Amino acid sequence: SSKKTWLDTMSIRGYVQVRNNMTLGGDRHIRHQADRSVGENTNFIIRRARLVFSGDVSDRLSYYFQPDFASSSGDTGNIAQLRDAYGDIHLTTDRVHRLRVGQSKIPFGFENLQSSQNRVALDRADAINSCCKDERDQGVFYYYTPQDKQEMFKYLTSNNLKGSGNYGLFALGVYNGTGANRSENNSSLHVVSRFTYPMKLDNGQIIEAGISAHTGTFKPNRSAIGGITPTARSKTDGFSDKRVGLHAVLYPQPFGLQAEWNWGRGPQLNDERTEIKESSLDGGYVQAMYKIDNLGGRFGTLIPFVKWQYFDGGQKFETNAPRNKVNDWELGFEWQPVPEIEFTAYYSALDRTNVQSSPYEKYNSDLLRMQLQYNF
Amino acid sequence: SSKKTWLDTMSIRGYVQVRNNMTLGGDRHIRHQADRSVGENTNFIIRRARLVFSGDVSDRLSYYFQPDFASSSGDTGNIAQLRDAYGDIHLTTDRVHRLRVGQSKIPFGFENLQSSQNRVALDRADAINSCCKDERDQGVFYYYTPQDKQEMFKYLTSNNLKGSGNYGLFALGVYNGTGANRSENNSSLHVVSRFTYPMKLDNGQIIEAGISAHTGTFKPNRSAIGGITPTARSKTDGFSDKRVGLHAVLYPQPFGLQAEWNWGRGPQLNDERTEIKESSLDGGYVQAMYKIDNLGGRFGTLIPFVKWQYFDGGQKFETNAPRNKVNDWELGFEWQPVPEIEFTAYYSALDRTNVQSSPYEKYNSDLLRMQLQYNF
Amino acid sequence: SSKKTWLDTMSIRGYVQVRNNMTLGGDRHIRHQADRSVGENTNFIIRRARLVFSGDVSDRLSYYFQPDFASSSGDTGNIAQLRDAYGDIHLTTDRVHRLRVGQSKIPFGFENLQSSQNRVALDRADAINSCCKDERDQGVFYYYTPQDKQEMFKYLTSNNLKGSGNYGLFALGVYNGTGANRSENNSSLHVVSRFTYPMKLDNGQIIEAGISAHTGTFKPNRSAIGGITPTARSKTDGFSDKRVGLHAVLYPQPFGLQAEWNWGRGPQLNDERTEIKESSLDGGYVQAMYKIDNLGGRFGTLIPFVKWQYFDGGQKFETNAPRNKVNDWELGFEWQPVPEIEFTAYYSALDRTNVQSSPYEKYNSDLLRMQLQYNF
């Protein structure tokens, strides 16, 4: 028998996103925590530069190793930092039951789990995304996926239907709760669970709906505002941090709809900016899209879309957990002239908070957002 | 003739270690410089996330390029930093004589040279490991390995016998002495030499014993303790930094023993914490293990082990070179249900110093240490 | 039809440079912004440790992804940071017209575009190199290369003739202007254009000559000198930053000559060190070399060379944009005993400015510079 080589158990791929945003009107000094190229004194940035090393070592172990080379440390830009580093231990060799251990995405919501390589809009909606820094954390997650649903999850991503990938019909996990690439700062683990169900309608179109919930204790970073550091009369270990979310997706065959909403409680800076308190939060988004394949016979795939998002709640991973109020509209398209090149352009009416620096101002700005993505 | 492609001269592999430690008793605020997941307010961490790019370019050049993606810079976690980046220039095409130039492991001791991927205990013993930051430095090393011993070193690692890999029967090298990934801070080079001899007994079991020594001048970093920076009445360029070590290994076929001890002198903060002085140091470890293959017919390999380590000396790579007193016991097992998955769990009675921050307290703690490792 | 795998669209290669410089005479505390191993308290360093992931995904997209693992962030050394991350979108499938988008080299001059893997001298000449931090920036570049010249550019690099690679006969681009891996700090883009023409003489030798120009607005970083931060009475957005350069190359078949000069204006600290002003700059270099293949029948390739460089102008990417005066000589050789190993050694008479820290002193030093490079 011939011995396995590394090529039997590893494949490498990657993608790069280059962005440029133009402020068309409104507040020109807007800042957007998800995109440093929004606002004044900006031009081109590399938003993501990823390499993925992955494979099946055996019928017991699959792995996924993904650094991003567009991360930064202080003023040092475009350094390599882990996104994923996990193994899937297949408890059964039919891959129905598995344990994912390491740093990986937290199974909460839908858009969080969908790859940035596949998402139509440039950034995830704040309402859901604010649950989980970089969507990921370090922990242990159990996933249950029957074999027919394994096929269906695969079909949805490999046919460019903007699927989430396989995060199980059912998921249950524990994780630090401090966010990807950050050290734990209390002794309590977060717990998350998710149930989702994709099914094919009689007309062949696929729909999916589900529910997620997480709970834990979160200790936000604090720093002085106008010389005074906000107080945080929490339990020693932090604030209660819990959410429940719903998601529903009609996959774009050709018309698609995607909606999520979540409600919860977590740390939030009060309006006087003197104290962080446990507060309620809620928000979500609705997105409609239409997938036109084989555009004009030879111009590839075009996906016009419109998205509305809303959020009112504490942005816990930002220093002082400031309150973020978001009410954004996006209207535009993703165009794939060939599968390996994607160009996205859209008009965006932003109504949101600068959550990165005090006094946490609100902005109203109109942007033209553009991104070129390479898949290799 | 067919042209060589990159696949003829490169292969890629990797491994990931995920840890979790539980404090069972004793001082709960213990800190361990080798594992940030020991102590209060900790849960999961990724201890190592490595990719190795290596190969033979020709019969004159082999290379090894290994970044670790679980390094950090300030608060920025899980970034990529070099461990190894060297070439082996084969002075003779039979590979008996070679020069290793770049960043690589310093040939001192045995456990330092054994890969963390293969080691049974989660961390190396401080007594030997304190010689060499991350076991590595930048320099030039000559290695002499007769062909039969090349085979033997290879046999010991590829058969899961916890070998060190081939660092020569004889080694002689010069290196900066400031540690891996750190800039040189004086003009003097360290010199290291090592002799080791593995041999097969009549019963087929392999034993190995050897001696190492290094000498150089070391200039520790200093910072204020209670407002006062310790003085360092050294030569301008630093303190004498020299050690001699012995190692002996009975490879686990199935019973194994491993022991090392080293003695030396180097910089050390005095007990009053006012001055760094040249002081003596000594310490080592003894480890017994038993390798059970094909456990219960289908449960893989189990290696129960016990380890005791002792150290009393300056931890030169830590700021102010504090005195580290260690007297630790470890008792547990490494289990490989399949070769690509390793789970290690053990009870550890720690009696050691917090060498990372003043006042450099002593701790006594009982831990349950656990690690899951993926090899791909 | 057989499906493409990742091996059809990706190949991986790399190189590592290890250096050591000895000060033979003159000012021993010299500093050189391009090489931290020059000066006091230095020994071995890894100057570059690169991996290149590249390929043609289709006749519409090529990509190039190159991190360097010898970058640093503060005191954290040898971390991974992007050099290149771009796609070439082939507007025509004959690759005559293409757009390069992402982070890539700015098409200015000749030596800037020549890979460090191929360059004979250890560092680029300051006069040209000071235009472009790490030679690169984030932007969009159009390249025009007729098919016969595509072949010629390829011939010049693949035959070890120290070519630049294919940056077009004609290039036109826009980019941030703040340098590779740095955030844009004003709203204006830089514009660059270049024309170069390689041609084969009747005797078979290839010559090349060309012209480059760039213009933009540059805002330097400032910090206090002796407690006082220099003023910068510029337009709000920065100083005019423009250059025009000429280059000419006679490729080493076997005798080679290479020369460049550029003239321009940009920000520069005044001699009193109180104010940054727009000032003129000029400088360049001349290099002669001789390529001896198959040395002594079996000792590989030897390239003796001599290089003179001159510069007088502001070093805009350094804090406070200090004036740099350079008048350096280099005399030595590059030796490739086998193609995968290169050893460079030369005498260098340096007459230059410490541009990294105030008071920006001038140095006169004689060095022996050495580098070992591995190609894999």
Side-chain angles (χ1 to χ4, degrees):
Chain A
S1 68
S2 63
K3 203 177 173 318
K4 268 195 177 184
T5 76
W6 70 278
L7 293 173
D8 296 312
T9 57
M10 184 180 285
S11 72
I12 308 176
R13 59 179 194 84
Y15 71 100
V16 171
Q17 294 177 341
V18 185
R19 291 197 184 169
N20 199 326
N21 292 284
M22 289 182 198
T23 310
L24 301 176
D27 299 318
R28 301 210 156 257
H29 48 302
I30 184 172
R31 300 213 25 206
H32 191 311
Q33 79 278 4
D35 189 343
R36 285 174 295 113
S37 68
V38 166
E40 287 189 304
N41 295 328
T42 64
N43 279 303
F44 299 102
I45 64 156
I46 297 178
R47 178 62 182 82
R48 290 181 177 86
R50 304 272 175 94
L51 291 177
V52 178
F53 302 78
S54 65
D56 298 320
V57 180
S58 68
D59 57 6
R60 287 297 181 185
L61 180 67
S62 305
Y63 67 96
Y64 201 87
F65 194 104
Q66 179 182 227
D68 179 36
F69 289 79
S71 299
S72 54
S73 174
D75 286 340
T76 311
N78 293 337
I79 65 167
Q81 187 182 46
L82 279 182
R83 287 303 169 270
D84 299 287
Y86 63 77
D88 274 352
I89 301 179
H90 300 293
L91 302 175
T92 54
T93 55
D94 58 6
R95 303 186 166 214
V96 171
H97 303 275
R98 66 201 148 110
L99 282 183
R100 180 167 290 184
V101 185
Q103 180 163 293
S104 72
K105 286 193 172 176
I106 299 163
F108 185 86
F110 177 84
E111 198 184 48
N112 276 3
L113 304 177
Q114 186 190 36
S115 169
S116 290
Q117 191 175 9
N118 297 329
R119 192 177 55 254
V120 175
L122 295 199
D123 299 307
R124 292 184 176 88
D126 289 29
I128 318 293
N129 198 233
S130 53
C131 77
C132 311
K133 184 175 168 47
D134 291 326
E135 301 83 58
R136 292 166 176 90
D137 212 313
Q138 293 153 57
V140 178
F141 304 90
Y142 163 77
Y143 289 105
Y144 164 74
T145 324
Q147 284 184 292
D148 60 326
K149 300 302 181 188
Q150 292 178 30
E151 289 303 312
M152 192 174 280
F153 285 126
K154 199 171 176 179
Y155 176 85
L156 289 167
T157 46
S158 59
N159 286 278
N160 196 18
L161 292 174
K162 310 292 179 190
S164 65
N166 179 355
Y167 287 86
L169 280 202
F170 174 72
L172 179 64
V174 293
Y175 58 99
N176 289 348
T178 38
N181 304 316
R182 289 193 179 177
S183 294
E184 175 63 295
N185 64 4
N186 61 27
S187 57
S188 72
L189 287 170
H190 273 56
V191 181
V192 67
S193 188
R194 179 178 184 257
F195 178 78
T196 195
Y197 200 84
M199 55 180 287
K200 196 181 255 189
L201 300 180
D202 287 345
N203 68 358
Q205 199 164 7
I206 299 173
I207 59 167
E208 180 173 344
I211 182 167
S212 321
H214 80 70
T215 184
T217 302
F218 189 89
K219 200 173 170 179
N221 290 330
R222 290 180 291 154
S223 76
I225 301 172
I228 298 162
T229 300
T231 57
R233 266 171 283 176
S234 65
K235 292 188 297 171
T236 310
D237 261 4
F239 294 87
S240 176
D241 172 32
K242 54 191 174 191
R243 296 182 181 212
V244 60
L246 297 175
H247 64 269
V249 184
L250 173 71
Y251 286 98
Q253 300 167 299
F255 176 72
L257 262 180
Q258 191 178 319
E260 293 190 66
W261 208 267
N262 77 167
W263 302 262
R265 298 187 68 78
Q268 184 184 294
L269 187 65
N270 65 357
D271 290 344
E272 298 75 31
R273 303 198 297 271
T274 54
E275 183 177 1
I276 299 173
K277 292 182 166 172
E278 189 191 310
S279 308
S280 66
L281 61 87
D282 85 297
Y285 69 90
V286 182
Q287 176 180 303
M289 56 199 147
Y290 194 90
K291 181 159 174 279
I292 306 165
D293 286 318
N294 205 18
L295 178 72
R298 59 198 187 91
F299 295 111
T301 298
L302 184 78
I303 309 181
F305 75 100
V306 57
K307 185 179 185 178
W308 169 74
Q309 65 160 301
Y310 170 86
F311 182 45
D312 184 358
Q315 200 80 13
K316 70 185 177 190
F317 290 109
E318 301 291 336
T319 300
N320 295 329
R323 182 177 185 176
N324 191 13
K325 289 177 132 179
V326 181
N327 196 326
D328 287 358
W329 280 92
E330 294 163 291
L331 172 68
F333 64 86
E334 176 189 288
W335 176 42
Q336 302 178 16
V338 288
E340 62 271 21
I341 302 175
E342 300 181 18
F343 178 69
T344 305
Y346 58 80
Y347 167 79
S348 187
L350 300 178
D351 174 0
R352 57 169 50 238
T353 311
N354 173 357
V355 295
Q356 294 176 291
S357 53
S358 172
Y360 307 112
E361 286 179 272
K362 278 289 305 259
Y363 296 116
N364 263 280
S365 309
D366 297 334
L367 298 186
L368 171 62
R369 306 194 65 183
M370 289 181 294
Q371 176 178 286
L372 188 65
Q373 177 177 309
Y374 307 113
N375 305 312
F376 53 84
Chain B
S1 68
S2 63
K3 202 176 172 319
K4 269 194 176 183
T5 76
W6 70 277
L7 294 172
D8 296 312
T9 57
M10 185 181 286
S11 73
I12 307 176
R13 58 178 195 86
Y15 70 100
V16 171
Q17 295 176 341
V18 185
R19 291 196 184 171
N20 200 327
N21 292 284
M22 289 182 198
T23 310
L24 302 176
D27 299 317
R28 302 212 156 255
H29 49 300
I30 184 173
R31 298 211 30 206
H32 191 311
Q33 78 278 4
D35 190 343
R36 285 174 296 113
S37 68
V38 166
E40 286 188 306
N41 295 329
T42 63
N43 278 303
F44 298 102
I45 64 154
I46 296 179
R47 178 62 182 81
R48 289 182 178 87
R50 304 273 174 96
L51 292 177
V52 178
F53 302 77
S54 65
D56 298 319
V57 181
S58 67
D59 56 7
R60 289 298 181 182
L61 180 68
S62 304
Y63 68 95
Y64 200 87
F65 194 104
Q66 179 181 229
D68 179 36
F69 289 79
S71 298
S72 54
S73 174
D75 285 341
T76 311
N78 292 338
I79 65 168
Q81 187 181 48
L82 279 182
R83 286 301 169 271
D84 299 287
Y86 63 77
D88 273 351
I89 300 178
H90 300 294
L91 303 175
T92 55
T93 55
D94 59 5
R95 306 185 164 215
V96 171
H97 303 276
R98 67 201 147 109
L99 282 184
R100 179 167 288 185
V101 185
Q103 180 164 295
S104 71
K105 287 192 172 177
I106 299 164
F108 185 86
F110 177 83
E111 199 185 45
N112 277 2
L113 304 177
Q114 187 189 35
S115 169
S116 291
Q117 190 175 11
N118 298 330
R119 191 176 56 253
V120 175
L122 296 199
D123 300 305
R124 292 184 175 89
D126 289 29
I128 318 293
N129 198 234
S130 53
C131 77
C132 309
K133 183 173 170 48
D134 291 325
E135 301 83 60
R136 293 167 175 89
D137 213 311
Q138 292 154 57
V140 177
F141 303 91
Y142 163 78
Y143 289 105
Y144 164 75
T145 324
Q147 286 184 291
D148 60 325
K149 299 303 181 189
Q150 292 177 29
E151 290 302 312
M152 191 174 279
F153 285 125
K154 198 171 176 180
Y155 175 87
L156 288 167
T157 47
S158 58
N159 287 279
N160 196 17
L161 291 174
K162 310 292 179 189
S164 65
N166 178 356
Y167 287 85
L169 279 201
F170 174 73
L172 179 64
V174 293
Y175 57 100
N176 289 347
T178 38
N181 305 316
R182 289 193 178 178
S183 294
E184 174 65 293
N185 64 3
N186 61 27
S187 57
S188 72
L189 288 170
H190 272 56
V191 181
V192 67
S193 188
R194 179 178 184 257
F195 178 79
T196 195
Y197 200 84
M199 55 181 287
K200 196 180 255 190
L201 300 180
D202 287 345
N203 68 359
Q205 197 162 10
I206 299 174
I207 59 167
E208 180 173 344
I211 182 169
S212 321
H214 80 71
T215 185
T217 303
F218 189 88
K219 200 173 169 179
N221 290 330
R222 290 180 292 154
S223 75
I225 301 172
I228 297 162
T229 301
T231 57
R233 268 172 282 177
S234 65
K235 291 189 298 169
T236 309
D237 261 4
F239 294 87
S240 176
D241 172 32
K242 56 191 174 190
R243 296 181 180 213
V244 60
L246 297 175
H247 63 269
V249 184
L250 173 71
Y251 287 97
Q253 300 168 298
F255 177 72
L257 261 179
Q258 192 179 317
E260 294 189 65
W261 208 268
N262 76 165
W263 303 260
R265 299 187 66 78
Q268 183 183 296
L269 187 65
N270 65 357
D271 291 345
E272 298 76 28
R273 302 199 299 271
T274 54
E275 184 177 1
I276 299 172
K277 291 182 166 173
E278 189 190 309
S279 307
S280 66
L281 59 86
D282 86 296
Y285 70 91
V286 182
Q287 175 180 304
M289 56 200 148
Y290 194 90
K291 182 159 172 280
I292 306 166
D293 286 317
N294 204 17
L295 178 72
R298 58 197 188 93
F299 296 110
T301 298
L302 184 78
I303 309 181
F305 75 99
V306 58
K307 186 179 184 178
W308 170 74
Q309 65 160 303
Y310 170 86
F311 183 45
D312 184 357
Q315 201 81 11
K316 70 184 176 190
F317 289 110
E318 302 290 337
T319 301
N320 295 329
R323 182 177 183 175
N324 191 12
K325 288 176 132 179
V326 181
N327 196 327
D328 287 359
W329 281 91
E330 295 162 291
L331 173 67
F333 63 86
E334 175 190 288
W335 177 42
Q336 303 177 15
V338 286
E340 61 271 22
I341 302 175
E342 299 182 19
F343 178 69
T344 305
Y346 57 80
Y347 167 79
S348 188
L350 300 179
D351 174 0
R352 57 172 47 239
T353 311
N354 173 356
V355 294
Q356 294 177 289
S357 52
S358 173
Y360 308 112
E361 286 179 275
K362 278 290 304 259
Y363 295 118
N364 263 282
S365 310
D366 296 336
L367 299 186
L368 172 62
R369 306 194 65 183
M370 288 181 294
Q371 176 178 284
L372 187 65
Q373 178 178 308
Y374 307 114
N375 305 313
F376 52 86
Chain C
S1 69
S2 62
K3 204 177 172 319
K4 269 195 176 183
T5 76
W6 71 278
L7 293 173
D8 296 313
T9 57
M10 186 181 285
S11 72
I12 308 176
R13 58 178 195 85
Y15 70 100
V16 171
Q17 294 177 341
V18 186
R19 291 197 185 170
N20 199 325
N21 292 284
M22 289 181 197
T23 310
L24 302 175
D27 299 317
R28 302 212 154 254
H29 48 303
I30 184 173
R31 298 208 32 204
H32 191 311
Q33 79 278 3
D35 189 342
R36 286 174 295 113
S37 68
V38 166
E40 285 189 306
N41 295 330
T42 64
N43 278 304
F44 298 102
I45 64 155
I46 297 179
R47 178 61 182 83
R48 290 182 178 86
R50 303 273 174 95
L51 292 177
V52 178
F53 303 78
S54 65
D56 298 319
V57 180
S58 67
D59 55 7
R60 289 296 182 184
L61 181 68
S62 305
Y63 67 94
Y64 200 88
F65 194 105
Q66 179 182 227
D68 180 37
F69 290 79
S71 298
S72 55
S73 174
D75 284 341
T76 311
N78 292 338
I79 65 167
Q81 187 182 47
L82 279 183
R83 287 301 169 271
D84 299 286
Y86 63 78
D88 274 350
I89 300 178
H90 300 294
L91 303 175
T92 54
T93 54
D94 58 5
R95 305 187 164 211
V96 171
H97 303 276
R98 67 199 148 111
L99 282 183
R100 179 167 291 183
V101 185
Q103 181 163 293
S104 71
K105 286 193 172 176
I106 299 164
F108 185 87
F110 176 84
E111 198 184 47
N112 277 4
L113 304 177
Q114 187 190 35
S115 168
S116 290
Q117 191 175 11
N118 297 330
R119 192 177 54 254
V120 175
L122 295 198
D123 299 306
R124 293 184 175 88
D126 289 29
I128 318 293
N129 198 233
S130 54
C131 77
C132 310
K133 184 174 167 49
D134 289 327
E135 302 81 60
R136 291 165 177 91
D137 213 312
Q138 293 155 56
V140 178
F141 303 90
Y142 163 78
Y143 289 105
Y144 164 75
T145 324
Q147 286 185 292
D148 60 325
K149 298 303 181 189
Q150 293 178 29
E151 290 302 312
M152 192 174 280
F153 284 127
K154 198 170 176 181
Y155 176 86
L156 288 167
T157 46
S158 58
N159 286 279
N160 196 17
L161 291 175
K162 310 291 179 191
S164 65
N166 179 355
Y167 287 86
L169 279 202
F170 174 72
L172 179 64
V174 293
Y175 57 100
N176 289 349
T178 37
N181 304 317
R182 289 194 179 178
S183 294
E184 175 64 294
N185 64 3
N186 61 27
S187 56
S188 72
L189 288 169
H190 273 56
V191 181
V192 67
S193 188
R194 179 177 183 258
F195 178 79
T196 194
Y197 199 84
M199 54 181 287
K200 197 180 255 191
L201 300 179
D202 287 344
N203 67 359
Q205 197 162 9
I206 298 174
I207 60 167
E208 180 174 345
I211 182 169
S212 321
H214 81 70
T215 183
T217 302
F218 189 89
K219 202 173 170 180
N221 291 330
R222 290 180 291 154
S223 77
I225 301 172
I228 298 164
T229 301
T231 57
R233 268 172 281 178
S234 64
K235 292 189 297 168
T236 310
D237 261 6
F239 294 87
S240 175
D241 173 32
K242 56 192 174 190
R243 296 181 179 212
V244 60
L246 297 174
H247 63 269
V249 183
L250 173 71
Y251 286 99
Q253 300 167 299
F255 176 73
L257 261 180
Q258 191 179 320
E260 293 190 66
W261 208 267
N262 77 165
W263 302 262
R265 299 185 68 77
Q268 183 183 296
L269 187 65
N270 65 357
D271 290 345
E272 297 76 28
R273 302 198 300 271
T274 54
E275 183 176 1
I276 299 172
K277 292 181 166 172
E278 189 191 309
S279 308
S280 67
L281 61 85
D282 86 295
Y285 69 90
V286 182
Q287 175 180 304
M289 54 199 149
Y290 194 90
K291 182 160 173 279
I292 306 165
D293 286 317
N294 204 17
L295 178 72
R298 60 198 188 90
F299 294 112
T301 298
L302 184 77
I303 308 181
F305 76 101
V306 57
K307 184 180 186 178
W308 170 75
Q309 64 160 301
Y310 170 86
F311 183 45
D312 183 357
Q315 201 81 12
K316 70 185 178 190
F317 289 110
E318 301 291 337
T319 300
N320 296 327
R323 182 177 185 175
N324 191 13
K325 290 175 130 178
V326 180
N327 195 326
D328 287 358
W329 281 92
E330 294 162 292
L331 173 67
F333 64 86
E334 175 190 288
W335 176 43
Q336 302 178 14
V338 287
E340 63 271 21
I341 302 175
E342 299 182 19
F343 177 69
T344 305
Y346 58 81
Y347 167 80
S348 187
L350 300 178
D351 174 359
R352 56 170 48 237
T353 311
N354 172 358
V355 295
Q356 294 177 288
S357 53
S358 173
Y360 308 112
E361 285 180 273
K362 278 288 307 258
Y363 294 118
N364 263 282
S365 309
D366 297 334
L367 299 185
L368 172 62
R369 306 193 66 182
M370 289 181 294
Q371 176 179 285
L372 188 64
Q373 178 178 309
Y374 307 114
N375 305 313
F376 53 86

